[in-house]
Amino acid sequence: MTALSAAPLVELSMDAGPSTSSGRTAVDATARLDSVLAYHTRTKHHIDRYAAGPGTLDWDAQPDPFRHWTDAQTLALPRHLPDLGIAWDALSDARPAAPLDVISISTLLRLSVSITAWKEYAGARWALRANPSSGNLHPTETWVIASGVKGVTNGLHHYQSQSHRLERRAWNDEATAPGLWLGFSSIHWREAWKYGERAFRYCQLDLGHALAAVSYAAALLGWRVQVLRLDSSEVAARLGLDRAADFAGVEAEEPEVIVALDASASLPASWLHPPQGGGHDCKAAEAATFMHYAGKPSLLDPRPLYQWPVIEEVATATRGTPPTPDPSFRRKPESSLIKLDPGLRRDDDATQIIFNRRSAQAFDGKSILPHAVFRRLLSCLLPGGSPVWGLWPHAPRVHPVLLVHRVEDVAPGLYALPRSEAALAALRETCRAEFNWDAADAELPLFQLIQAAAAKTARTLSCHQDIALHSAVTFMFVAEFDAPIAENPAAYRHLHWEAGMLGHVVTLEAEAASWRGTGIGCFFDDAGHDVLGFTDTRFQVLYHFAVGMPVDDPRLLTRPAYE
Ligand SMILES: Cc1cc2nc3c(=O)[nH]c(=O)nc-3n(C[C@H](O)[C@H](O)[C@H](O)COP(=O)(O)O)c2cc1C
């Protein structure tokens, strides 16, 4: 048994963060920082030039969206989705923790990363999942580490979403303390196949969506989730991703993160009130490394046509540990003080809202987003406003700027929702001097920067995509950039995760109100910075997101997830 102590919040020895303890490490840190900044710059889309990508795409040669592990013991998970009977508005209520068993794991996976439907059109068939993904390419792989979970063999399992089953990858001879962890890795090629060099950014945004999806699913089970502060090399060791020989001849998997699921405490809305230490009073997590391994990963693309070495470079430069939770996060969340319209009821079943989440492919360009829905949605983006901020109890570093087109009682224009007081001050200093910064809400930290018809600007900035024009509101997620990345280059990943999490909150809140969202990874970076008046890289836009009234395509047939 080789269980390693992996207590949350414990800085492990292999932290790849910058250090001045030796000249060598300082040089490495500088090289890593340079590498990240160079990657970010070269993967910007410009109005007259897109970041480097493939010249041609053969859709029949798309990498397999599902990885299988052959010669591994498999466990078919129950496909039935239990009726949890929890209304969306009751998400934050206290509820007893679901038992640590195979049904709960199955439910957790179904509500976060499983297939939720198949779509068919003109002979083509593709799966949709609970988590969205850029280009529906799904670079994120999910791993389950189970110990003492009723109905699941102890060990490390790959989650095979195509047939909703576990493939046992590794195990130990002796039992360990009961526990359940989810691990995540990225297969860059799935995304790079289509998007070239910019693909690393999309993998990270997708991961943020997946983490957010897990936090909602866990909240419904009454479980607490916490990110383990493990260095990337420790994540790789626990998920068996560092066993290079096992991946010989197939696409490697980049270690991302492991989260612990705590089923021992029933949740008194704990994600709204994280306890001392920033929300991490889960039982000490002992995610084991393993002695015995089995299985061989499948090849996803036998004939890759391109290589994008810069992705491996930025992946190496951004390995490290997640940030430290911020103790000030314990304060009573602003969002719980905000008087939201009591008439706005969202009684629909939360599992159905999560399960039916889709990205809109088109918006109607005329419906007006009710003010109450708009305010509720914004309040959920603030610290404490969603289960996501229990999983990610850090000082907010990504802040929405909104291009409002059609929102009841809100004049069209550019608005900012700084998620911390410090960001408000810094953004005011960094943005165009002529912006008004007029308070636009009595309670929310929403500021009007300028009143203007902004829909065409939104479309132009979003790579000319009509979804940004026809939405009711288009978000630009603006990240504090230079400072966090200089402190730890791994923050480049974490800022994208946070942007993806914000996108996920927006999409689920929109869905709960019978509206819909769509992520927009394609945007012209510096054109957006020009609009905001950024003349340096203290802040950078990392993601766009549109919300509107969807127009469905009746030609698409929908089939059940698992028949
Ligand atoms: C990070 C990210 C970037 C995306 N970028 C775009 C985009 O630029 N344009 C677009 O139409 N859809 C975009 N999408 C939406 C995806 O195409 C959509 O999630 C995918 O097709 C899967 O469909 P689903 O979300 O309905 O499951 C993006 C999604 C994500 C998560």
Side-chain angles (χ1 to χ4, degrees):
M1 178 65 232
T2 50
L4 293 184
S5 125
L9 311 183
V10 174
E11 195 78 50
L12 291 168
S13 56
M14 300 186 75
D15 183 7
S19 155
T20 50
S21 59
S22 78
R24 168 88 206 282
T25 318
V27 171
D28 286 353
T30 308
R32 290 171 62 213
L33 177 61
D34 289 348
S35 179
V36 174
L37 298 180
Y39 172 80
H40 186 68
T41 303
R42 71 184 276 160
T43 55
K44 285 181 175 177
H45 284 329
H46 300 275
I47 288 192
D48 58 351
R49 175 172 49 86
Y50 284 83
T56 54
L57 273 185
D58 173 2
W59 279 97
D60 290 335
Q62 181 188 339
D64 192 339
F66 303 107
R67 171 157 270 174
H68 307 253
W69 284 76
T70 49
D71 302 326
Q73 188 189 89
T74 61
L75 172 69
L77 295 170
R79 292 175 168 189
H80 171 69
L81 188 63
D83 180 9
L84 299 175
I86 300 167
W88 188 256
D89 272 343
L91 203 64
S92 63
D93 291 355
R95 65 182 54 91
L100 201 60
D101 61 16
V102 66
I103 294 178
S104 300
I105 289 192
S106 171
T107 306
L108 180 82
L109 293 168
R110 289 230 64 193
L111 292 173
S112 54
V113 289
S114 79
I115 295 176
T116 50
W118 285 89
K119 291 280 176 185
E120 284 179 15
Y121 175 65
R125 191 167 189 265
W126 62 98
L128 297 181
R129 307 193 201 182
N131 54 321
S133 166
S134 185
N136 201 25
L137 299 170
H138 288 283
T140 312
E141 291 290 319
T142 305
W143 298 85
V144 174
I145 301 173
S147 178
V149 177
K150 204 170 157 206
V152 180
T153 324
N154 289 347
L156 168 70
H157 305 258
H158 171 245
Y159 174 57
Q160 210 271 72
S161 60
Q162 188 172 19
S163 50
H164 192 53
R165 67 181 182 192
L166 298 180
E167 298 166 331
R168 190 164 76 145
R169 168 78 177 118
W171 63 95
N172 286 317
D173 293 328
E174 294 163 27
T176 47
L180 176 65
W181 299 264
L182 290 187
F184 295 95
S185 55
S186 295
I187 303 183
H188 295 142
W189 179 244
R190 281 217 187 100
E191 206 66 32
W193 168 79
K194 181 174 178 194
Y195 294 115
E197 293 193 345
R198 198 168 159 103
F200 181 77
R201 299 189 188 198
Y202 297 159
C203 291
Q204 301 306 317
L205 290 169
D206 278 11
L207 197 84
H209 276 280
L211 287 170
V214 167
S215 70
Y216 277 96
L220 289 174
L221 291 169
W223 293 357
R224 185 174 294 156
V225 199
Q226 67 179 104
V227 170
L228 300 190
R229 291 205 68 233
L230 293 174
D231 177 70
S232 303
S233 59
E234 298 282 346
V235 173
R238 281 163 174 75
L239 303 183
L241 306 177
D242 56 354
R243 296 171 61 85
D246 292 355
F247 288 89
V250 305
E251 298 80 2
E253 297 191 20
E254 175 66 23
E256 299 288 2
V257 66
I258 296 179
V259 299
L261 293 144
D262 185 5
S264 69
S266 62
L267 286 187
S270 65
W271 49 270
L272 284 175
H273 303 282
Q276 187 79 41
H280 286 174
D281 72 344
C282 279
K283 279 184 304 149
E286 289 223 331
T289 52
F290 297 93
M291 291 170 68
H292 309 291
Y293 285 83
K296 177 78 192 147
S298 57
L299 176 66
L300 308 178
D301 184 354
R303 281 183 302 283
L305 279 184
Y306 294 87
Q307 285 191 336
W308 307 107
V310 74
I311 291 186
E312 185 52 35
E313 276 169 37
V314 71
T316 307
T318 54
R319 287 178 192 142
T321 50
T324 317
D326 182 352
S328 67
F329 200 78
R330 290 183 64 233
R331 76 196 150 78
K332 199 161 167 51
E334 288 162 51
S335 48
S336 71
L337 303 174
I338 290 165
K339 292 184 211 63
L340 296 166
D341 183 347
L344 178 69
R345 296 296 313 157
R346 295 153 324 151
D347 292 334
D348 289 346
D349 189 272
T351 52
Q352 289 308 317
I353 287 168
I354 290 175
F355 220 64
N356 292 325
R357 180 215 61 80
R358 303 274 184 274
S359 297
Q361 291 171 329
F363 295 116
D364 71 1
K366 56 177 195 253
S367 298
I368 295 169
L369 186 71
H371 195 218
V373 174
F374 178 69
R375 294 189 76 238
R376 174 90 62 151
L377 199 154
L378 297 189
S379 73
C380 295
L381 300 179
L382 298 177
S386 145
V388 177
W389 313 126
L391 172 143
W392 197 250
H394 308 295
R397 297 187 297 190
V398 183
H399 311 280
V401 166
L402 296 77
L403 295 129
V404 170
H405 317 321
R406 273 171 295 277
V407 177
E408 183 189 25
D409 293 337
V410 182
L414 200 58
Y415 292 78
L417 184 83
R419 296 171 64 230
S420 70
E421 303 238 329
L424 169 60
L427 275 167
R428 282 188 85 138
E429 199 187 300
T430 314
C431 282
R432 263 177 208 289
E434 55 267 45
F435 283 164
N436 304 324
W437 292 97
D438 289 340
D441 191 282
E443 295 166 296
L444 294 164
L446 181 69
F447 299 89
Q448 188 192 69
L449 306 184
I450 193 157
Q451 197 171 317
K456 286 187 182 158
T457 305
R459 175 171 62 180
T460 304
L461 296 182
S462 306
C463 296
H464 310 294
Q465 299 186 74
D466 280 346
I467 42 171
L469 172 74
H470 294 145
S471 62
V473 53
T474 303
F475 291 81
M476 299 162 81
F477 293 128
V478 176
E480 298 168 24
F481 195 77
D482 279 346
I485 289 171
E487 192 185 320
N488 178 6
Y492 191 64
R493 295 191 194 203
H494 309 142
L495 294 172
H496 282 86
W497 297 358
E498 192 172 329
M501 290 173 192
L502 286 165
H504 207 76
V505 174
V506 170
T507 205
L508 287 183
E509 286 300 323
E511 199 82 38
S514 303
W515 287 67
R516 197 150 260 183
T518 298
I520 302 181
C522 187
F523 55 87
F524 298 126
D525 301 69
D526 285 341
H529 300 148
D530 283 349
V531 167
L532 296 172
F534 297 165
T535 52
D536 55 33
T537 49
R538 275 178 289 172
F539 288 91
Q540 293 281 277
V541 177
L542 296 187
Y543 195 22
H544 284 197
F545 213 92
V547 170
M549 184 55 74
V551 180
D552 288 330
D553 184 343
R555 296 170 304 169
L556 301 190
L557 294 180
T558 306
R559 304 274 183 222
Y562 303 106
E563 292 187 275

